[in-house]
Amino acid sequence: MIIISLVCSQYKNKVREMVENRAVNRNTYDQVMLPIYAPASFIPVRGQGSRVWDQQGNEYIDFAGGIAVLALGHCHPALVDVLKQQGEKLWHVSNIFTNEPALILAQKLIDATFAQKVFFANSGAEANEAAFKLARRHAITRHHTNKTKIIAFHQAFHGRTFFTVSVGGQQKYADGFGPKPADIIHVPFNDLNAVREVMDEHTCAVVLEPIQGEGGVTPATLEFLRGVRELCDHYQALLIFDEVQSGMGRTGKLYAYQHYGVQPDILTTAKALGGGFPISAMLTTEAIATAMEIGAHGTTYGGNPLACSVGCAALDIINTAEVLTGVEKRHDMIIQALEKMNQKYHIFDEVRGKGLLIGAVLKAEYQGKAGDILQQAAEQGVMLLSAGGGILRFTPSLIIPEDDIAEGMTRLDKAIARWLSE
Ligand SMILES: Cc1ncc(COP(=O)(O)O)c(C=O)c1O
């Protein structure tokens, strides 16, 4: 015991020394990390609510929310508390054993949705990977062996594993890695006729985001979702909703499908499910779940007690009238501020989205410039996202204080004014 606490305190001192000496900086990133991202020039070191501070003590208002992950902001006290408590109790047992937080979270997700069965994983991509495998297996075991076609959509994003990136509709992410998984077809989003043309008895699933996030913050139309549901029923194909970004209260309902009244057969959820702690889930019905059997799929960490206990706390807080109706109010505030900005600067063609998944589409002359605006915004103290080069994307905390929205918008206004003048 004495040795352990000695080692712990030595380690803590070493980490503190590194942090205090700022022994790592943005240049370190280029030296030690795989060159797949180009992170901002500053390094955040602390966050509270919707405010973040960097290594130099500069403060930012966070409209990015960790890409729709921090539904309850940074370091929400209830999540911190539950993580500390679980951290002193049980971290991991593997799926050779089950655990209480996983069972409780699964039951909560079932109670709140169409689902009767849950599979836990660690990221959106893994939940989607499981969904696509389940859809193929369901079709092969219940129907016929060549019922394997997956219909997906241009601009869709489903993750970066090879299967999910191949189902995603952005070639730039999928090309350059050799032969792709076969029998995946892409058609334009919101185009029911295009789906009808490629749909047949070989189709095992249609996969879509009810609101395309990465692809441009594009909500599905009601007619489109209803039509796709009918086609799936007709051809005995499964309808998969990827709600990794649109789920967990982001649109003002727990899941976006609940706005449309169109029910999927499989739904994937991640990001805000853990409020910043990595966890994802695939939800489905009892009947479809029986296509799987013991050993058919798995993951070491999926459903671990730490992630699930945080997930339980996040779900309990998010799935309340107070938080969900607050999303609408905050949506209106952001839209009004963006419209006001647009009256001054005329840089947006359209502001779209649902709840707190909002995209401001830059006019043709500013296409490709979103990254420059993001950089200018950071210089003025606002963290913001883009969707491609032509859309500014807002995915803040669902409980971002109204004062922070107002202050963040004032800073963004300044950033745009400065950017235009330069
Ligand atoms: C709709 C959607 N699906 C899947 C993913 C992949 O999630 P992850 O990065 O956690 O694998 C994302 C991530 O942005 C997403 O927006």
Side-chain angles (χ1 to χ4, degrees):
M1 197 66 192
I2 294 167
I3 292 173
I4 291 174
S5 70
L6 197 68
V7 170
C8 278
S9 84
Q10 279 175 351
Y11 177 72
K12 269 190 197 157
N13 286 342
K14 196 163 164 44
V15 171
R16 193 177 303 128
E17 205 181 287
M18 279 179 81
V19 171
E20 275 166 9
N21 292 340
R22 297 286 177 246
V24 290
N25 58 38
R26 179 58 181 80
N27 292 333
T28 320
Y29 182 93
D30 296 330
Q31 289 156 16
V32 301
M33 302 293 270
L34 196 73
I36 53 169
Y37 301 113
S41 56
F42 64 95
I43 299 185
V45 293
R46 187 166 68 85
Q48 190 62 58
S50 285
R51 303 237 174 182
V52 168
W53 290 266
D54 71 12
Q55 286 183 312
Q56 285 68 40
N58 300 311
E59 178 235 70
Y60 302 82
I61 290 186
D62 188 0
F63 284 158
I67 319 186
V69 166
L70 299 157
L72 299 172
H74 294 268
C75 300
H76 188 286
L79 303 195
V80 171
D81 198 40
V82 86
L83 187 58
K84 278 184 181 164
Q85 279 182 35
Q86 189 61 44
E88 289 177 354
K89 214 162 144 192
L90 187 70
W91 283 30
H92 176 79
V93 286
S94 88
N95 287 298
I96 306 300
F97 312 92
T98 189
N99 68 81
E100 288 178 354
L103 299 177
I104 295 166
L105 181 57
Q107 188 60 58
K108 283 181 192 289
L109 287 166
I110 288 168
D111 292 345
T113 65
F114 71 97
Q116 289 129 12
K117 292 282 180 186
V118 177
F119 166 76
F120 286 119
N122 315 287
S123 65
E126 285 171 87
N128 284 329
E129 183 85 20
F132 306 158
K133 283 177 74 177
L134 173 59
R136 284 250 173 109
R137 198 173 176 95
H138 179 263
I140 288 167
T141 55
R142 298 295 140 81
H143 301 287
H144 47 93
T145 49
N146 53 1
K147 191 173 173 64
T148 51
K149 188 201 284 186
I150 294 177
I151 298 175
F153 296 91
H154 296 160
Q155 301 307 322
F157 187 79
H158 300 298
R160 299 295 198 118
T161 65
F162 208 20
F163 198 177
T164 57
V165 90
S166 304
V167 174
Q170 304 188 48
Q171 277 191 356
K172 62 175 188 233
Y173 295 142
D175 287 350
F177 299 100
K180 295 173 192 160
D183 219 6
I184 300 164
I185 190 159
H186 296 97
V187 295
F189 191 57
N190 272 335
D191 185 341
L192 190 56
N193 278 333
V195 180
R196 203 172 278 126
E197 268 169 32
V198 295
M199 191 106 183
D200 55 22
E201 67 278 8
H202 298 299
T203 307
C204 72
V206 179
V207 183
L208 61 89
E209 298 154 82
I211 301 172
Q212 283 194 340
E214 302 297 308
V217 191
T218 311
T221 64
L222 179 59
E223 310 78 70
F224 178 66
L225 287 195
R226 279 191 183 147
V228 171
R229 177 70 271 176
E230 278 169 23
L231 285 170
C232 284
D233 291 342
H234 182 77
Y235 288 104
Q236 296 183 302
L238 300 184
L239 180 55
I240 303 174
F241 283 173
D242 175 347
E243 292 234 31
V244 166
Q245 188 153 164
S246 62
M248 287 302 288
R250 175 101 351 235
T251 65
K253 292 213 185 267
L254 188 62
Y255 289 102
Y257 84 87
Q258 293 163 334
H259 286 284
Y260 292 92
V262 175
Q263 202 164 290
D265 300 298
I266 300 176
L267 180 146
T268 54
T269 179
K271 290 192 184 275
L273 179 59
F277 201 96
I279 178 171
S280 66
M282 178 194 69
L283 315 181
T284 192
T285 64
E286 170 95 48
I288 294 165
T290 56
M292 284 297 197
E293 62 198 21
I294 289 165
H297 191 60
T299 161
T300 297
Y301 290 113
N304 84 79
L306 278 176
C308 290
S309 55
V310 180
C312 283
L315 183 60
D316 283 346
I317 298 170
I318 290 169
N319 200 21
T320 54
E322 192 192 341
V323 171
L324 296 176
T325 54
V327 168
E328 268 323 296
K329 190 167 180 209
R330 288 164 175 80
H331 167 94
D332 293 345
M333 280 186 74
I334 293 177
I335 298 286
Q336 275 165 22
L338 288 172
E339 280 169 358
K340 212 164 135 199
M341 235 177 263
N342 208 23
Q343 280 163 15
K344 270 205 267 180
Y345 305 119
H346 310 286
I347 64 164
F348 305 131
D349 253 343
E350 186 191 356
V351 178
R352 65 189 184 211
K354 240 181 172 35
L356 288 172
L357 177 48
I358 294 172
V361 184
L362 293 169
K363 281 191 184 295
E365 60 264 44
Y366 303 121
Q367 282 296 312
K369 302 288 185 198
D372 298 346
I373 298 177
L374 258 51
Q375 205 176 318
Q376 189 59 253
E379 279 168 30
Q380 295 300 324
V382 185
M383 291 159 79
L384 197 62
L385 298 172
S386 61
I391 298 174
L392 305 184
R393 184 167 38 139
F394 299 76
T395 56
S397 156
L398 308 184
I399 55 169
I400 180 171
E402 292 174 25
D403 286 350
D404 286 3
I405 296 181
E407 172 63 20
M409 283 299 172
T410 304
R411 293 182 191 183
L412 181 58
D413 186 302
K414 259 192 221 155
I416 289 175
R418 178 168 290 196
W419 180 71
L420 286 171
S421 74
E422 280 172 8

